[in-house]
Amino acid sequence: RRAPPEFIYRRYGVRFNSPIWQKFNFYLIKQIIRSIFQILSITKGYIMKKTLLSLFVLFFSANVFSADVTIEMLNKNKETKQRMVYSQELIKIDVGKSIEWVPTAKGHNVEMLIGPEGYELPKKTKLNDPVTITFDKPGIYLYQCSPHAALGMIGIVVVGGDTSNKEAVAELKLTGSKSKKKRDKLLEGV
């Protein structure tokens, strides 16, 4: 007998719509689930069932391994029709959360320009490399795509609602008038 995914969710709390599920072949998933149910039905011990189910959920849970926010580096935003932009230009997150920048086209990177006082800026990423940064210090962070800075490809991260370094961010010299205008517009929303 086959158990439909909704039954598995109601009984064991496993969701099948996470991105990691989409990467696997459906046949392989079906075989893995069938094998786990066979093991669970064979094992009589309560602890063994719980342990196997916990390992299964941990292994296939995409949220355990992913960043809290994902920002795409775009040549063109399909919604706004703007060119050379990040998918989200103003992000507000809590302390300890992480952001992953993912290139969707060649020629983009992330370069942190300024952060709160005492924050050591990470190195500029190589072109086309995804990067994940965890923000442990509250404040405003300004970043750009180095090759497209003059075109206004910048973004701001506000961590923990702290805006104490807003003036320093506003006074930072940027490449190109588009970046300056965008920074001022984004700071209005902070």
Side-chain angles (χ1 to χ4, degrees), residues 69-108:
V69 177
T70 301
I71 298 175
E72 295 176 330
M73 303 177 224
L74 306 169
N75 282 345
K76 184 176 182 180
N77 188 326
K78 293 177 184 175
E79 296 169 6
T80 64
K81 307 294 184 209
Q82 292 179 327
R83 299 187 63 73
M84 302 303 165
V85 293
Y86 292 102
S87 60
Q88 301 176 63
E89 296 174 327
L90 176 60
I91 297 290
K92 296 178 181 180
I93 60 171
D94 294 326
V95 175
K97 299 292 183 181
S98 61
I99 296 178
E100 178 181 24
W101 285 269
V102 180
T104 59
K106 292 184 178 182
H108 298 295

Side-chain angles (χ1 to χ4, degrees), residues 18-26 28-29:
S18 64
I20 197 163
W21 281 105
Q22 298 166 5
K23 292 181 183 178
F24 285 98
N25 182 313
F26 182 74
L28 178 63
I29 294 171

Side-chain angles (χ1 to χ4, degrees), residues 69 71 88-95 97-101 110 112 114-116 119 133-135 137-143 154-163 165 169 186-187 190:
V69 177
I71 298 175
Q88 301 176 63
E89 296 174 327
L90 176 60
I91 297 290
K92 296 178 181 180
I93 60 171
D94 294 326
V95 175
K97 299 292 183 181
S98 61
I99 296 178
E100 178 181 24
W101 285 269
V110 175
M112 285 288 168
I114 191 169
Y119 175 73
I133 299 175
T134 302
F135 295 88
K137 189 162 182 144
I140 299 175
Y141 298 77
L142 177 68
Y143 62 93
I154 65 165
I156 290 181
V157 178
V158 181
V159 180
D162 182 2
T163 59
N165 64 326
V169 173
L186 292 173
L187 284 175
V190 171

Side-chain angles (χ1 to χ4, degrees), residues 4-158:
E6 191 57 35
F7 166 77
I8 295 170
Y9 171 67
R10 278 187 269 134
R11 186 158 184 195
Y12 298 104
V14 177
R15 283 255 186 229
F16 286 82
N17 58 355
S18 64
I20 197 163
W21 281 105
Q22 298 166 5
K23 292 181 183 178
F24 285 98
N25 182 313
F26 182 74
Y27 177 77
L28 178 63
I29 294 171
K30 197 164 89 173
Q31 293 300 338
I32 291 171
I33 291 172
R34 185 176 292 148
S35 299
I36 288 175
F37 276 110
Q38 286 174 351
I39 291 170
L40 290 176
S41 65
I42 292 171
T43 57
K44 302 288 184 200
Y46 175 78
I47 293 174
M48 182 60 118
K49 287 182 182 180
K50 285 289 190 182
T51 303
L52 286 173
L53 187 60
S54 298
L55 288 173
F56 176 76
V57 170
L58 179 65
F59 181 71
F60 287 105
S61 174
N63 294 334
V64 174
F65 304 106
S66 65
D68 299 303
V69 177
T70 301
I71 298 175
E72 295 176 330
M73 303 177 224
L74 306 169
N75 282 345
K76 184 176 182 180
N77 188 326
K78 293 177 184 175
E79 296 169 6
T80 64
K81 307 294 184 209
Q82 292 179 327
R83 299 187 63 73
M84 302 303 165
V85 293
Y86 292 102
S87 60
Q88 301 176 63
E89 296 174 327
L90 176 60
I91 297 290
K92 296 178 181 180
I93 60 171
D94 294 326
V95 175
K97 299 292 183 181
S98 61
I99 296 178
E100 178 181 24
W101 285 269
V102 180
T104 59
K106 292 184 178 182
H108 298 295
N109 72 346
V110 175
E111 179 183 11
M112 285 288 168
L113 300 175
I114 191 169
E117 190 173 323
Y119 175 73
E120 186 176 329
L121 297 175
K123 289 183 178 180
K124 171 174 58 174
T125 65
K126 293 180 180 179
L127 293 179
N128 312 320
D129 280 356
V131 63
T132 302
I133 299 175
T134 302
F135 295 88
D136 293 323
K137 189 162 182 144
I140 299 175
Y141 298 77
L142 177 68
Y143 62 93
Q144 71 177 8
C145 174
S146 304
H148 304 114
L151 300 173
M153 192 167 178
I154 65 165
I156 290 181
V157 178
V158 181

